[in-house]
Amino acid sequence: DSLTEVYRELGLSCYLRVFRSPLPRLIPQCLAYCRRARIPFSTIVSNIAMTLQGQRLGVLAEKLRIPTNDLLLGHYSYEGNGAFKKIMEFYLQFTEEAQNTLFICHPGEADLELRQRDGMIEARLDCLTYLRSPSLQSLLQSKGIKLKRFARTA
């Protein structure tokens, strides 16, 4: 409350990133998809947990008329070997009604220093490869989804 008051007094707008996801109400579908796609259920558990924590914050933001995102989906604990493609395709089915969906991922290439410090190198490369692929571009186009750099989403 205090922060929003300061922003408003200064004539500034603020935006609040809220963990929102349809996944907690879709746990049976999530389990079925993970089994079918042969990916660990843990790839979406963190989204479910964060959504449950973020619900109260989202309600408060709406009450204070602070703009937020519709959905916040992410890919936090994943492996290489195409797992990112599978989970991205799964998440895209939930974006049809949302206008301001944020999808968090961690793509990247690795130099020697990063390889020594980061245990997720293969997953980062897997993510980057799929984000650059014609396959993702076709999928996004077929769903009418446009990627853009993060900006205020309201």
Side-chain angles (χ1 to χ4, degrees):
D1 294 344
S2 302
L3 183 59
T4 58
E5 286 177 29
V6 170
Y7 268 78
R8 288 183 180 141
E9 285 175 18
L10 295 172
L12 301 172
S13 62
C14 63
Y15 164 81
L16 186 61
R17 184 175 73 177
V18 177
F19 289 103
R20 288 188 174 148
S21 165
L23 299 182
R25 64 182 167 83
L26 300 172
I27 289 176
Q29 290 95 318
C30 294
L31 286 169
Y33 178 81
C34 288
R35 212 173 289 116
R36 203 171 44 251
R38 293 191 171 102
I39 56 176
F41 186 62
S42 62
T43 58
I44 58 174
V45 167
S46 56
N47 267 312
I48 292 170
M50 287 187 286
T51 297
L52 295 173
Q53 295 170 3
Q55 285 176 339
R56 196 162 167 224
L57 183 59
V59 169
L60 178 62
E62 287 174 14
K63 192 164 126 180
L64 295 171
R65 293 186 309 240
I66 299 171
T68 65
N69 49 289
D70 295 333
L71 296 176
L72 178 66
L73 301 171
H75 200 46
Y76 305 99
S77 58
Y78 54 94
E79 303 165 2
N81 303 322
F84 181 78
K85 177 181 189 280
K86 292 175 185 176
I87 200 68
M88 182 72 163
E89 290 171 350
F90 176 65
Y91 283 156
L92 285 177
Q93 69 183 309
F94 302 111
T95 63
E96 292 176 7
E97 296 176 15
Q99 296 297 311
N100 299 315
T101 299
L102 299 178
F103 187 87
I104 296 175
C105 57
H106 305 281
E109 295 176 333
D111 59 11
L112 181 58
E113 182 182 350
L114 187 58
R115 286 186 181 280
Q116 293 171 346
R117 294 183 358 202
D118 187 350
M120 293 177 49
I121 298 301
E122 295 307 314
R124 290 180 191 281
L125 291 170
D126 181 41
C127 178
L128 182 62
T129 300
Y130 186 62
L131 288 174
R132 290 178 171 168
S133 74
S135 173
L136 176 63
Q137 300 311 312
S138 296
L139 178 62
L140 294 174
Q141 190 173 20
S142 73
K143 294 186 167 286
I145 297 172
K146 294 182 182 174
L147 295 181
K148 61 183 180 181
R149 292 196 174 278
F150 177 78
R152 193 165 160 243
T153 59

